[in-house]
Amino acid sequence: MNITKRAALAGLLSLGLATPSLAQTFPTKPITVIVSFAAGGPSDVIARLLGEQMSKTLGQPVVVENIAGAGGTAGAKRLVAADPDGHTILIHHLALAAAPALYANLGYDTKAAFAPIGLVNTGPMVITSKLALPPTDAKSFFPYAKENAAKLTVAHAGVGSNSHLCAVLMSQQLGAKFSQVAYRGTGPAMNDLVGGQIDILCDQSTSAIPQIQGKKIRAYAVTSAQRLDVLPETPTMAEAGAKLDMTIWHGLYAPKDTPVAVLDKLNGALRVALKDPAVIEKFKAFGTTAFPEAEWTRDAHAKLFAAEIDKWAASLAAAGVKPQG
Ligand code: MLT
């Protein structure tokens, strides 16, 4: 190389023009999105829907890996151990924020271990039962559930999962203790509800609605302030005379120390996915919604995540719950 060429190359390198930036090269291989619950459940359904759209923007496949167990904390641990290069990410919901108030030995610091990528969706839970359960509406369900609690089985996806927190709130509301059955996710729990092996499940609308519409299970009440357009006949908890507000939300996370350029690129792909008509239509059908566009920033996600960690720590401590294990 002659002196002029070498000088030109040195000039380009100093300007950062000779080597493509990380934001330009990422991703260099398929992206794994960890789902902390079994396949077929609401987190899995949302992850697959988003992954399909995000892969179009990112130019690499987005592959779902279900790592279920311990109320969703096993999958979170797997993310924490992953290389912080953006090729392994996690979808999780409010259980990630509630976990430190429930588990004494998580093996990671929830406030520091995750780099929020962006908020995904927010929606209610629906209290449902197998078709053979005698009460046919919410008004008759609550007294029946209170009277028969000990012999009724309530399914959930492990301590700290949405379905578990909803079951706990329902028990508190009724002053009754159900017999709880833990699953690796509400996907398999829903299968057993449809099959009549368990009695009650409080699940995200995402999973509950298709089964309710298919008349495979019964819906008693939604935990949102308003009825859902897609479930017009199902009353709110307030209409049913009960007090149980619960709104769930999902977000995407990378391990801490993931480069900002990579986080921004993932956030950009998430934004494109959230605007995709197929995603908008599916969210509507599932009774769930994307966050307002002003809250699609990584910063808004980080703020909500930090606030939820504090909120669950305070409310679970006030309820006398201590971290276990
Ligand atoms: C799942 O996908 O199985 C649910 O998100 C679990 C839950 O939190 O109830």
Side-chain angles (χ1 to χ4, degrees), residues 300-319:
H301 183 186
K303 280 201 181 104
L304 178 65
F305 186 48
E308 286 272 296
I309 295 169
D310 292 343
K311 183 189 102 180
W312 284 102
S315 66
L316 290 167

Side-chain angles (χ1 to χ4, degrees), residues 37-38 41-44 93 125 157 161-164 185-187 203-204 250:
F37 297 96
S43 300
D44 183 73
H93 49 48
M125 306 290 284
S161 63
N162 291 316
S163 42
H164 176 253
T186 55
D203 200 3
Q204 292 163 55
H250 279 102

Side-chain angles (χ1 to χ4, degrees), residues 116-122 249-252 267 270-271 274 289-305:
I117 293 168
L119 294 166
V120 176
N121 69 310
T122 176
W249 59 274
H250 279 102
L252 291 183
N267 176 272
L270 172 61
R271 285 165 176 263
L274 292 173
T289 42
F291 281 78
E293 195 166 345
E295 292 169 42
W296 291 0
T297 60
R298 293 194 291 108
D299 198 37
H301 183 186
K303 280 201 181 104
L304 178 65
F305 186 48

